[in-house]
Amino acid sequence: MASLPKPIATVAWRPLRTADVPYVAALEAQIHVAPWTPGNFRDALAAGYSAQVGEREGRILAFGVMMLAPGEAQLLNLSVVPDARRQGLGRALLSRFLQDALRMGADQVFLEVRVGNTPAIALYEDAGFVRVARRADYYPPDASGLREDALVMRRELSPNFR
Ligand SMILES: CC(C)(COP(=O)(O)OP(=O)(O)OC[C@H]1O[C@@H](n2cnc3c(N)ncnc32)[C@H](O)[C@@H]1OP(=O)(O)O)[C@@H](O)C(=O)NCCC(=O)NCCS
């Protein structure tokens, strides 16, 4: 039997605004083990980091933050709400950040991800990131007191990347 086409979640992408912070931080708290606080989001905005949300019918479904430094960028946050996953939003937001990084003159992008975060690692590898290092016990202890290693991943950018 032919497989059904994947649903496509269309969203409008726009910059994260200060007024979004309480809502986005509440989503963040539901999504991440060690979530960013509202203050972390406000600091990112104050520092001028690239911060984006994807919204549909007034509801934010995806958000992320990327820090730009001379020559390189660091992806700090990439999140999709659980009921909108596997519809291409993570890939679309990542692609927007890579395009932004390139436009701002970066020639590489770094990120850190938990070694056990299979969906995110699959997304990043699919987008051309490669593993460059592993940081032991990098993340703070979770509810059971366990720490987790981080993978450091890197993606080279070139003007004609897809
Ligand atoms: C990681 C995350 C952002 C992916 O978002 P998403 O919108 O579901 O991802 P996409 O639908 O764009 O998937 C793109 C590709 O990533 C990979 N992928 C995504 N989720 C996956 C999963 N659960 N298992 C395996 N591969 C997965 C696949 O290669 C997928 O391509 P395909 O659907 O054509 O097979 C999302 O799962 C999430 O928000 N997780 C919690 C927050 C998080 O861990 N963020 C990353 C921190 S570093």
Side-chain angles (χ1 to χ4, degrees):
M1 193 171 73
S3 60
L4 292 170
K6 282 190 180 181
I8 297 173
T10 49
V11 293
W13 297 106
R14 64 165 175 82
L16 174 75
R17 303 178 192 125
T18 306
D20 299 318
V21 166
Y23 183 79
V24 167
L27 293 179
E28 166 85 5
Q30 291 164 20
I31 292 173
H32 291 276
V33 179
W36 279 29
T37 63
N40 294 142
F41 283 103
R42 278 192 284 270
D43 288 348
L45 286 175
Y49 296 170
S50 172
Q52 298 279 318
V53 301
E55 195 175 42
R56 186 171 57 201
E57 293 168 3
R59 182 180 168 224
I60 292 173
L61 300 182
F63 57 93
V65 180
M66 184 178 68
M67 177 177 72
L68 278 154
E72 66 182 59
Q74 176 107 26
L75 184 66
L76 301 177
N77 191 319
L78 188 82
S79 305
V80 176
V81 300
D83 65 306
R85 290 184 190 159
R86 295 313 290 267
Q87 299 173 40
L89 294 181
R91 180 187 279 128
L93 182 52
L94 180 60
S95 173
R96 292 177 70 83
F97 279 133
L98 295 181
Q99 295 284 356
D100 271 1
L102 185 65
R103 200 167 34 80
M104 301 299 284
D107 52 23
Q108 53 184 347
V109 179
F110 289 93
L111 60 83
E112 281 143 6
V113 58
R114 291 173 183 271
V115 287
N117 192 345
T118 309
I121 293 168
L123 167 64
Y124 298 138
E125 289 185 331
D126 184 63
F129 281 83
V130 294
R131 302 166 189 224
V132 292
R134 183 166 174 143
R135 300 194 208 285
D137 293 338
Y138 181 77
Y139 291 102
D142 63 14
S144 53
L146 293 174
R147 303 182 73 99
E148 193 170 358
D149 294 357
L151 281 182
V152 181
M153 302 186 79
R154 172 178 179 269
R155 165 72 147 97
E156 271 186 50
L157 298 176
S158 66
N160 54 356
F161 89 98
R162 63 181 173 87

